[in-house]
Amino acid sequence: MNQPLLSLALLAGLCGGSASAQTSPKTSASYSAAGKKARVYATVSGTSQRLAAGAELAFSPAAQPLETQVSVFVDPNHTFQTMLGIGGALTDAAAETFAKLPKPQQQELLKAYYSPKDGIGYTLGRTSIHSSDFSSGSYTYVADKDEALKTFSVKHDEQFRIPFIKQVLTAAGGKLTMYVSPWSPPGWMKTTGDMLHGGKLLPQYRQAWADYYVKFIKTYEQLGIPIWGLSVQNEPMATQKWESCIFTGEEERDFIKGYLGPTLAKGGLGGKKLIAWDHNRDLVYQRASAVLDDPAAAKYVWGIGYHWYETWTGSGMLFDNVRRVHETYPDKNLLFTEGCLENFDLAKVDRWDLGEKYGMSMIGDFNAGTVGWTDWNVLLDETGGPNHVGNFCYAPIIGDTKAGKLIYTSAYYYIGHFSKFIRPGAKRVATASNRDALQTTAFRNPDGSVAVVVMNQTDKPLDFQLWINGQAAKTTSAAHSIMTMVL
């Protein structure tokens, strides 16, 4: 699928608003849809519709719905978490691929992701502290055994990653909520002497490793890249063939309260948002309880991050585990920190289920209480890389560096149905569907507009009414489609 970006220009001037955080369990004024119209944008399998504007829906008085009437109910009078943002990771792989594209395609990509007018308005970003699997090779920022970090330098990143992030910042209007994650300490700090293949942080290097985060954040900020937050460790329970490091719940708790939290505070970075876990939904509750039940650790933690790869076991996505964390620790935040589809195949970039997996995850995560959603690589090349261990994956946009063109997958458009219309500072509002074929979530933006997302993964179209406090508008959810209705 190589959808021209020009079609997105139809979406100009939609939901604006600041990224100010607000918390309120319920709105003070009653919301009415009387006299309102909803603008409809749809992405539909088997058609050319990609975030395409359709006819407006008009609301009219509606009586008590019958069980036979297919309905999506929205109640803007009841609000929940506040949206932080939606975005993707600015990896070495993305930066290297970007550098290989012709200038017009580079500008197209920046607009496609970061323009709220002509693109899908990303506002959230993640990058790695030194190398990850999505780098061309393993590297660190210090010489071996330099416990004092005197040799610390991000010169490696100055070739591709830092220039790329700076262009992204400009494209995003100078504002991007950026957080950082390490995949592994340097090998000499670990029990295995190896950055790859798991292993653990040696006790004698806990302070040096905590100092490393501070060095990285301060260096990036001195280079003009503001850092909003950080996670303790990417996937701390996975021994991978790439950069990885194991932390049990107790080890992560103790590292936070004894080293990383105090070191951030001492370094003047106590205001940075610290994220624990940063792994799959399967163990998210166990890890949250291990860390957050200790007040000495919990005081440093802004929230819990998580990924979607629990499906490797054959499990479905475990949204209820995320909801349990939200219910048990309502004063902490939830953030989706990574997801992508593995086993890249260039011949299958048109697959529709790619987008549907994103849609299902985003609806389920937001309804479970998540405040932000971060895709993995924003850009990969025609091999699904570069990746130094052959772990090739899909990205929403593929940069064909041989042909010098961008390929837009269905995932790009599905993500856009959220990121373009649900802006930072929006509050999730109550929604319910009376048919499981229609998955839905809704938010009220800072400008007062309400964005309702409805997704249909089935093979059949479904007529339904959008019902809001005694007012309803009739429409249809096409087979294998996603739609956003903006009041």
Side-chain angles (χ1 to χ4, degrees):
M1 181 190 307
N2 190 1
Q3 185 74 10
L5 187 65
L6 182 62
S7 63
L8 298 183
L10 294 171
L11 302 172
L14 291 170
C15 310
S18 68
S20 60
Q22 306 170 44
T23 55
S24 172
K26 189 172 181 178
T27 55
S28 57
S30 179
Y31 182 91
S32 174
K36 289 185 170 63
K37 291 185 178 181
R39 293 164 287 172
V40 181
Y41 304 89
T43 295
V44 184
S45 177
T47 75
S48 62
Q49 293 183 68
R50 301 291 181 269
L51 283 166
E56 287 189 328
L57 304 180
F59 285 83
S60 58
Q64 164 68 49
L66 303 175
E67 291 179 313
T68 53
Q69 291 177 288
V70 182
S71 305
V72 169
F73 304 101
V74 179
D75 185 359
N77 295 317
H78 294 275
T79 61
F80 304 94
Q81 79 271 21
T82 301
M83 174 65 76
L84 172 69
I86 297 170
L90 308 174
T91 58
D92 286 326
E96 291 169 30
T97 301
F98 182 82
K100 294 176 183 177
L101 291 171
K103 292 293 183 183
Q105 280 65 45
Q106 290 181 346
Q107 293 307 305
E108 180 184 333
L109 179 108
L110 292 171
K111 184 182 290 186
Y113 273 128
Y114 298 99
S115 170
K117 178 182 177 183
D118 299 319
I120 60 174
Y122 269 13
T123 56
L124 193 58
R126 181 188 188 215
T127 199
S128 64
I129 297 177
H130 57 230
S131 61
S132 71
D133 47 329
F134 278 92
S135 302
S136 291
S138 292
Y139 64 91
T140 74
Y141 301 129
V142 295
D144 281 358
K145 305 296 183 179
D146 177 14
E147 188 173 352
L149 310 183
K150 292 180 180 179
T151 59
F152 191 95
S153 169
V154 297
K155 187 172 180 61
H156 173 281
D157 299 359
E158 291 175 357
Q159 183 178 5
F160 296 115
R161 199 202 312 181
I162 288 172
F164 176 53
I165 293 175
K166 286 186 173 181
Q167 289 195 63
V168 165
L169 276 166
T170 299
K175 294 180 180 179
L176 191 70
T177 301
M178 173 74 77
Y179 63 101
V180 300
S181 306
W183 266 240
S184 171
W188 55 269
M189 290 189 184
K190 296 171 65 181
T191 55
T192 55
D194 181 11
M195 286 183 71
L196 317 185
H197 313 110
K200 293 192 175 187
L201 177 66
L202 287 164
Q204 63 265 35
Y205 292 122
R206 288 172 183 159
Q207 186 58 56
W209 183 226
D211 292 338
Y212 201 102
Y213 298 74
V214 172
K215 281 271 193 183
F216 177 80
I217 292 171
K218 286 188 173 181
T219 301
Y220 258 52
E221 293 200 325
Q222 286 166 4
L223 292 171
I225 300 173
I227 303 300
W228 167 86
L230 68 157
S231 70
V232 179
Q233 167 65 44
N234 178 73
E235 299 187 348
M237 288 305 295
T239 297
Q240 304 283 22
K241 60 182 178 180
W242 53 85
E243 289 85 343
S244 45
C245 184
I246 301 299
F247 282 81
T248 65
E250 293 73 22
E251 288 166 343
E252 184 174 15
R253 175 199 67 197
D254 293 347
F255 180 60
I256 290 170
K257 71 178 180 180
Y259 297 90
L260 186 54
T263 301
L264 289 167
K266 185 179 178 180
L269 302 179
K272 304 301 181 187
K273 311 304 183 186
L274 184 60
I275 300 161
W277 187 225
D278 202 359
H279 203 166
N280 297 330
R281 299 185 188 99
D282 50 3
L283 297 179
V284 67
Y285 184 86
Q286 185 273 333
R287 181 55 56 104
S289 62
V291 173
L292 299 179
D293 283 349
D294 185 329
K299 70 180 182 179
Y300 294 113
V301 177
W302 171 86
I304 303 294
Y306 64 95
H307 302 177
W308 75 12
Y309 307 111
E310 70 270 16
T311 53
W312 73 270
T313 64
S315 169
M317 292 185 178
L318 300 172
F319 302 117
D320 276 349
N321 288 357
V322 178
R323 188 173 286 106
R324 290 295 90 77
V325 175
H326 181 58
E327 292 169 344
T328 308
Y329 306 99
D331 59 325
K332 299 300 182 182
N333 298 281
L334 287 158
L335 179 64
F336 183 89
T337 49
E338 185 185 316
C340 74
L341 199 67
E342 301 104 325
N343 303 314
F344 180 79
D345 183 347
L346 185 61
K348 296 180 179 179
V349 291
D350 286 343
R351 54 188 294 181
W352 200 256
D353 66 327
L354 183 62
E356 290 185 331
K357 182 170 183 176
Y358 277 83
M360 179 175 68
S361 178
M362 296 180 82
I363 289 171
D365 288 329
F366 289 134
N367 288 344
T370 292
V371 304
W373 211 93
T374 325
D375 183 34
W376 190 205
N377 304 275
V378 295
L379 177 70
L380 292 172
D381 68 17
E382 65 278 359
T383 71
N387 184 295
H388 71 89
V389 289
N391 180 33
F392 301 118
C393 297
Y394 290 85
I397 300 178
I398 299 297
D400 188 336
T401 60
K402 293 180 179 178
K405 67 177 183 178
L406 299 178
I407 302 169
Y408 293 78
T409 73
S410 58
Y412 170 81
Y413 299 102
Y414 270 70
I415 295 170
H417 275 274
F418 302 85
S419 61
K420 185 169 184 70
F421 306 104
I422 302 167
R423 304 303 295 164
K427 284 186 173 293
R428 184 172 66 85
V429 302
T431 50
S433 169
N434 67 350
R435 298 292 189 276
D436 64 357
L438 299 181
Q439 300 175 60
T440 182
T441 193
F443 283 76
R444 190 170 187 179
N445 284 295
D447 67 1
S449 65
V450 175
V452 184
V453 179
V454 174
M455 187 176 79
N456 179 358
Q457 287 182 266
T458 75
D459 296 331
K460 297 180 180 179
L462 199 57
D463 296 332
F464 72 96
Q465 62 174 351
L466 181 61
W467 197 96
I468 303 178
N469 296 337
Q471 297 281 326
K474 294 182 179 179
T475 187
T476 300
S477 176
H480 293 286
S481 74
I482 187 168
M483 60 196 300
T484 306
M485 294 161 283
V486 183
L487 284 79

